[in-house]
Amino acid sequence: MTHEGAREDRRAGTGASPHQVTPVTPEPEGVREYRMEELAAAAGITVRTLRFYRERGLIPPPRREGRIAWYDEHHLARLRTIAALLERGHTLNGIADLTTAFESGRNVREVLALGAPSEEEPVRLTPEELADHFAGEVTPENLAAALDLGYLVTDGEEIIHISRRLLDVSAALVREGVPLAEVLKAGARVREHADALAGLFTDLLRTHAAEDDLWRLRPLAKSVVEAELSMALDRRLGPGAPPQGP
């Protein structure tokens, strides 16, 4: 079956809407489950397309009970994600690669166990929302790089970006024409320098201040780095800066 055929099947669907699907029984631990036909109807695709997606590994294997395959809300969410990514121009091969990269990433519990950023606001995204932020640039390679950096972590069918500021800046740079791959490479280098600067200041403060004062003095270290970076940019950019507003 071709990519175009799968897309055509998905668009044609069955004409059923989610409220027409009757939940099946049994439902272990209160989880809603579907037979194959019911899942296809809920997702608006044909059973043939659902089988094709399953054979391609685009959705996880169902739970087996004898000869019956049971699907749940996670499968339905994945099918809706596939539909949304297809609408955004991704191919089935590309979605399969994205799924592999996505599932290889650390989950949110692993990252929280390592200690979440103290001042950064995490952002919860669906895969299609992430694709919208970086139109055409969410490739398996870029997704893997972002996962490796720890910018992205997984939480079920959703993605969490660990910093709204980093997400917004990265998206702004991509909109200005900087390839996302280069943004991520720069982010990795910035991470190395930032770790070195953090080590310098924590060593300095631990030598000359009480341990209980470290968090109170933390903003001073940030101010020094911000001021030095500002002056370094002035030197690099040189004359010809745009006039300041009133």
Side-chain angles (χ1 to χ4, degrees), residues 27-185:
E27 296 180 359
E29 300 179 0
V31 176
R32 183 175 184 177
E33 292 193 314
Y34 307 86
R35 293 177 185 267
M36 177 179 286
E37 295 80 4
E38 293 165 327
L39 179 67
I45 60 176
T46 66
V47 171
R48 183 178 66 166
T49 297
L50 176 56
R51 286 198 183 99
F52 177 70
Y53 288 167
R54 189 179 68 185
E55 290 166 1
R56 291 287 301 272
L58 291 171
I59 62 173
R63 181 179 73 84
R64 292 283 179 178
E65 189 174 90
R67 299 182 61 182
I68 301 175
W70 295 102
Y71 299 85
D72 59 25
E73 295 294 336
H74 292 294
H75 294 94
L76 182 58
R78 177 66 62 85
L79 290 171
R80 288 171 174 165
T81 292
I82 293 169
L85 292 176
L86 285 172
E87 290 292 343
R88 286 156 174 80
H90 289 262
T91 65
L92 287 178
N93 285 338
I95 293 171
D97 291 340
L98 288 173
T99 299
T100 299
F102 176 68
E103 291 179 344
S104 69
R106 292 182 296 172
N107 63 42
V108 66
R109 287 168 291 281
E110 292 174 310
V111 172
L112 289 176
L114 297 174
S118 60
E119 293 185 353
E120 298 305 310
E121 177 190 357
V123 184
R124 189 175 290 271
L125 303 160
T126 62
E128 53 268 32
E129 287 171 340
L130 182 67
D132 288 342
H133 270 82
F134 303 100
E137 299 261 0
V138 181
T139 64
E141 294 78 15
N142 286 340
L143 180 58
L147 289 165
D148 287 343
L149 275 170
Y151 285 173
L152 300 178
V153 295
T154 62
D155 186 17
E157 292 296 321
E158 290 188 309
I159 299 170
I160 296 176
H161 196 295
I162 64 169
S163 168
R164 180 176 294 278
R165 287 195 294 181
L166 285 175
L167 174 64
D168 290 345
V169 169
S170 299
L173 287 169
V174 170
R175 287 195 300 271
E176 292 294 332
V178 182
L180 180 57
E182 296 302 317
V183 172
L184 292 169
K185 287 179 184 177

